[in-house]
Amino acid sequence: MAKTSAVHREKKRQRLVAVHAERRAGFVKVIKDPNATLEEKNEAYKAIQRMPRDASATRLHNRCNITGRPKGYSRRFGISRLVLRRLAHQGQLPGVRKSSW
């Protein structure tokens, strides 16, 4: 089980990203616009820099939904490899079986 503080910190980051996503996307659109003037682009850069650091989606890290483990994450199920193995052996994941040959 991961530290609860780390899990809460990650959830806080997810909320911040969601809150600032629309504004941030607008600024990025101005920056990437070839018709925008240099002054408009500079203002957009400054506005992004004034936003909280954790408002960037690149700072998010996937964590297991059950244990909070940050490593060995399976995107398909949203859980870590250890939990995936345990649930698969118990037959609680539909369509997943242990392979044998």
Side-chain angles (χ1 to χ4, degrees):
M1 191 73 177
K3 289 174 57 173
T4 55
S5 61
V7 173
H8 289 298
R9 184 171 49 237
E10 192 63 34
K11 288 182 181 179
K12 182 180 174 184
R13 280 188 187 129
Q14 288 174 351
R15 285 192 301 269
L16 261 176
V17 168
V19 167
H20 294 284
E22 195 172 321
R23 285 187 57 216
R24 190 175 187 86
F27 294 137
V28 170
K29 187 175 179 182
V30 170
I31 291 169
K32 290 186 177 184
D33 183 19
N35 298 327
T37 64
L38 191 60
E39 292 80 22
E40 291 173 342
K41 289 185 179 188
N42 283 337
E43 288 299 318
Y45 276 122
K46 288 179 184 177
I48 285 180
Q49 287 176 350
R50 283 192 299 267
M51 293 176 88
R53 178 181 286 178
D54 285 340
S56 175
T58 58
R59 290 184 60 90
L60 293 178
H61 196 274
N62 293 326
R63 285 186 172 268
C64 176
N65 289 330
I66 297 171
T67 61
R69 181 181 166 87
K71 296 182 179 181
Y73 179 81
S74 174
R75 286 177 186 257
R76 183 174 179 183
F77 298 101
I79 54 179
S80 69
R81 63 183 176 84
L82 303 172
V83 176
L84 176 72
R85 183 174 187 273
R86 187 181 73 222
L87 293 178
H89 282 302
Q90 293 172 355
Q92 295 180 354
L93 295 177
V96 177
R97 334 190 301 197
K98 186 176 184 304
S99 65
S100 61
W101 58 92

